């Protein structure tokens, strides 16, 4: 279905960011000057939309990776908050921040105003389930004059600028929220590319948004295809059908020419989540038995063929500040005797290594005395059952800094009683206390130390067993320039991406 383009009522804006507060403004960079257009980019993505491209769930990263959506802030390569729709910001007190907006326009032609930003953030706070970036946080946004947005949190939040960089907190025009209970990103975002056409869960078309605040993109548009099969993605790149292919399977990486293969260390960790409310793993001793049965080194070298590191914790080697500073998990139960206990282990095939990793884990658990049934589906058909606790164990890949860039937010969202993405269904008072203590810590170094203490509390429950820390392989055609590869996996195509 071809979607009608929304009328634009504003001409292109000059880039005249406001300079205020403690952060300097930066532009998007890499835009094209008149007459420098490239060709449309052909992109193969691994995950089809699971939630009608709503920004509040897993689809948020599809929108950010294709350059459709933006938030008030973004993350730089070092994980620090940088300006996006907010040109600058400052902290007024422990619970209040003032963000100054740059001059920008939505893709439907309406201006990015304080009222529009307040509306977008307020809608996000009311979403169900709550976006992961807001897990454990309650915020209120109000307009402050003609260019400011004042955001107040019920408790001090030292990392609010990081939180607002989360893809799920993208700012959309008021028109995106006209249909009750739904969010429509078509023609209502602010990024350099505008979503114009969607073909179910198989493809999407995007055109360049000429009025982007950072300048006009090099590529006139993007033709995106959602290809869940990793081998098919690699073949599409090899045969010249696509210019970019994300998440190339390690088994296919060696078949690509060296100049078309890009390996990036990421903050993504593949883990074994044990359902703490299932008949089997409600018993801490059997969780300990499962943890003791897993050989992570064999997974890293075998399944991932050296394109991953053995699991060392919830934060991988890309999180350099965690290296050598981890606290030893305390209070672990002694491994019990599985005695043939039956369990269902689930995973998804959008990341081709996961079924193979799950098969190896299955064999290791069976060797330890468990009876294991393996279930593999596409992620879109698996997520709701996994979150509802319908499996005893789950092998999944999770980017620890994807949602907020804040290490504590991962712990709050994935391992606390109120967490919105709690695959292990863990509800442990000691873990909640440790995470709450970390959330209340302000200084960067102190917060990192508190995060590692909380990580040790999580690992002490054996609700999760880190298997490997991934290095993602992206296929990039030899004539493509300006691909945005980052350890947080939030970006792929930007204004400077071209062929």
């Amino acid at each position: 279905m071809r979607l009608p383009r929304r009328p634009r009522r504003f001409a292109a804006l000059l880039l005249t960011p406001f300079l205020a507060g403690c952060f300097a403004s930066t532009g998007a960079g890499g835009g094209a000057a008149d007459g420098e257009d490239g060709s449309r980019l052909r992109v193969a993505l691994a995950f089809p939309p699971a939630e009608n491209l709503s920004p509040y769930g897993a689809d948020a990263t599809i929108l950010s990776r294709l350059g459709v959506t933006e938030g008030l802030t973004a993350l730089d390569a070092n994980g620090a908050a940088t300006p996006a729709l907010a040109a600058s910001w400052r902290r007024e007190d422990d619970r209040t921040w003032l963000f100054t907006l740059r001059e920008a326009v939505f893709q439907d032609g309406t201006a990015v105003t304080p009222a529009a930003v307040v509306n977008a953030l307020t809608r996000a706070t009311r979403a169900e389930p709550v976006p992961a970036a807001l897990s454990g946080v309650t915020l209120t946004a109000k307009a402050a004059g003609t260019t400011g947005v004042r955001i107040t949190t019920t408790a001090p939040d030292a990392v609010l600028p990081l939180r607002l960089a989360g893809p799920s907190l993208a700012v959309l025009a008021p028109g995106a929220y006209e249909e009750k209970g739904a969010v429509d990103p078509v023609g209502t975002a602010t990024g350099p590319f505008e979503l114009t056409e969607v073909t179910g869960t198989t493809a999407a078309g995007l055109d360049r948004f000429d009025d982007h605040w950072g300048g006009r993109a090099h590529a006139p548009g993007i033709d995106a295809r959602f290809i869940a099969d990793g081998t098919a993605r690699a073949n599409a790149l090899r045969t010249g059908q696509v210019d970019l292919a994300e998440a190339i399977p390690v088994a296919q990486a060696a078949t690509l020419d060296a100049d078309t293969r890009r390996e990036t260390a990421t903050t993504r960790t593949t883990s074994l989540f044990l359902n703490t409310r299932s008949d089997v793993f409600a018993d801490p001793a059997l969780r300990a038995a499962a943890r003791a049965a897993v050989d992570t080194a064999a997974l890293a070298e075998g399944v991932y063929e050296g394109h991953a590191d053995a699991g060392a914790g919830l934060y991988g080697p890309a999180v350099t500040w965690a290296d050598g500073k981890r606290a030893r998990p305390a209070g672990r139960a002694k491994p019990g005797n599985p005695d043939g206990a039956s369990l269902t282990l689930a995973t998804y095939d959008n990341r081709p290594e996961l079924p193979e990793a799950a098969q190896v884990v299955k064999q290791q658990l069976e060797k330890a005395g468990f009876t294991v049934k393996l279930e593999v589906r596409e992620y879109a058909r698996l997520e709701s059952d996994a979150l509802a606790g319908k499996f005893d164990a789950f092998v999944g890949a999770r980017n620890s800094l994807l949602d907020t860039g804040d290490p504590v937010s991962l712990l709050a969202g994935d391992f606390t009683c109120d967490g919105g993405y709690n695959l292990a269904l863990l509800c442990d008072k000691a873990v909640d206390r440790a995470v709450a203590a970390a959330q209340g810590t302000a200084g960067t170094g102190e917060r990192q130390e508190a995060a590692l203490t909380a990580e040790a509390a999580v690992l002490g429950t054996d609700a999760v067993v880190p298997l490997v820390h991934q290095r993602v392989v992206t296929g990039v055609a030899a004539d493509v320039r300006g691909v945005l590869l980052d350890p947080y996996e939030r970006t792929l195509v930007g204004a400077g991406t071209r062929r």
Side-chain angles (χ1 to χ4, degrees):
M1 177 177 64
R2 182 73 183 179
L3 300 168
R5 293 179 64 85
R6 301 172 186 262
R8 292 178 182 154
R9 298 191 292 274
F10 286 74
L13 298 173
L14 293 175
L15 182 58
T16 54
F18 297 98
L19 300 178
C22 53
F23 287 82
S25 174
T26 60
D34 289 343
E36 292 183 355
D37 288 356
S39 302
R40 289 181 67 87
L41 294 166
R42 300 164 300 168
V43 180
L45 301 179
F47 290 87
E51 298 159 333
N52 297 317
L53 289 175
S54 167
Y56 298 146
D59 290 357
T61 54
I62 295 176
L63 298 172
S64 69
R65 287 174 69 76
L66 290 176
V68 176
T69 53
E70 298 170 317
L72 288 180
T73 61
L75 290 186
D76 67 11
N78 296 317
T82 61
L85 292 177
S88 61
W89 56 89
R90 61 184 174 87
R91 193 172 190 177
E92 295 184 322
D93 58 44
D94 285 349
R95 298 187 300 110
T96 308
W97 297 74
L98 179 64
F99 292 80
T100 301
L101 304 181
R102 69 170 74 251
E103 191 175 356
V105 66
F106 290 109
Q107 292 162 353
D108 65 359
T110 60
V112 176
T113 63
V117 173
V118 168
N119 179 64
L121 294 178
T122 301
R123 298 274 186 168
T125 64
R126 297 173 181 171
E128 294 182 2
V130 65
L134 294 179
S135 180
V137 174
T138 302
L139 63 79
T140 303
K142 293 183 179 180
T146 59
T147 61
V149 175
R150 181 170 284 109
I151 300 178
T152 302
T153 55
T154 54
D157 187 9
V159 295
L160 183 64
L162 290 177
R163 194 179 303 283
L164 294 174
S168 61
L169 297 185
V171 176
L172 301 179
Y177 311 98
E178 291 175 352
E179 185 178 343
K180 186 177 181 180
V183 184
D184 182 8
V186 176
T188 61
T190 61
F193 293 100
E194 176 182 353
L195 188 64
T196 58
E197 185 178 7
V198 178
T199 307
T201 58
T202 61
L206 302 92
D207 290 342
R208 177 172 54 207
F209 176 45
D210 290 338
D211 296 344
H212 185 248
W213 57 267
R216 206 160 58 94
H218 281 276
I222 301 171
D223 297 313
R225 295 166 56 190
F226 302 105
I227 305 175
D229 183 83
T231 300
R233 288 196 302 278
N235 287 338
L237 181 77
R238 249 192 318 266
T239 57
Q241 298 177 53
V242 300
D243 307 303
L244 292 173
E246 69 173 2
I248 296 295
V250 295
Q252 297 294 320
T255 68
L256 299 180
D257 293 338
D259 62 350
T260 65
R261 186 176 64 241
R262 310 282 178 82
E263 185 168 294
T264 309
T266 73
T267 56
R268 181 173 296 277
T269 297
T270 296
S271 299
L272 171 65
F273 297 89
L274 304 178
N275 183 348
T276 58
R277 300 183 193 176
S278 76
D279 291 340
V280 180
F281 292 124
D283 183 351
L286 291 186
R287 296 201 299 271
R291 182 251 308 157
V294 174
D295 182 352
T296 60
L299 288 165
E301 294 301 322
V303 175
Y304 288 86
E305 300 180 16
H307 293 284
D309 301 289
L314 300 176
Y315 312 112
V319 186
T320 55
W321 54 261
D323 187 35
K325 298 179 181 178
R326 287 187 170 87
R328 185 179 182 86
R332 277 177 164 167
K334 292 183 178 181
N337 182 5
D339 195 24
S342 296
L343 64 95
T344 298
L345 171 66
T347 193
Y348 47 97
D349 56 9
N350 304 75
R351 296 186 181 277
E353 297 82 15
L354 293 184
E356 187 178 351
Q359 181 63 42
V360 173
V361 170
K362 174 180 181 289
Q363 294 169 357
Q364 293 175 346
L365 292 175
E366 288 174 337
K367 185 177 180 180
F370 291 96
T371 301
V372 185
K373 173 187 176 183
L374 178 61
E375 186 164 337
V376 179
R377 303 181 201 164
E378 185 178 318
Y379 184 81
R381 298 177 51 244
L382 188 74
E383 181 186 59
S384 60
D385 284 348
L387 290 172
K390 294 186 178 181
F391 309 115
D392 300 290
F394 184 82
V395 172
R398 184 81 161 114
N399 192 317
S400 60
L401 299 181
L402 173 65
D403 296 316
T404 66
D406 171 37
V408 180
S409 297
L410 167 82
L411 303 175
D414 290 18
F415 300 108
T416 63
C417 297
D418 295 327
Y421 197 73
N422 191 344
L423 291 168
L425 298 182
L426 180 64
C427 187
D428 183 278
K429 291 182 179 179
V431 168
D432 277 19
R433 284 195 299 268
V435 172
Q439 287 177 314
T441 305
T444 300
E446 293 83 355
R447 191 176 182 87
Q448 292 170 352
E449 290 180 6
L452 293 178
T453 298
E455 177 198 47
V458 171
L459 295 177
T461 68
D462 285 326
V464 58
V465 182
L467 301 176
V468 295
H469 305 295
Q470 292 182 236
R471 301 177 214 144
V472 170
V473 178
T474 305
V476 182
D479 60 348
V480 173
R481 300 290 183 270
V483 180
L484 304 178
L485 303 177
D486 72 295
Y488 315 106
E489 300 182 273
R490 297 181 176 195
T491 61
L492 182 65
V493 177
T497 313
R498 60 197 181 279
R499 70 179 178 96

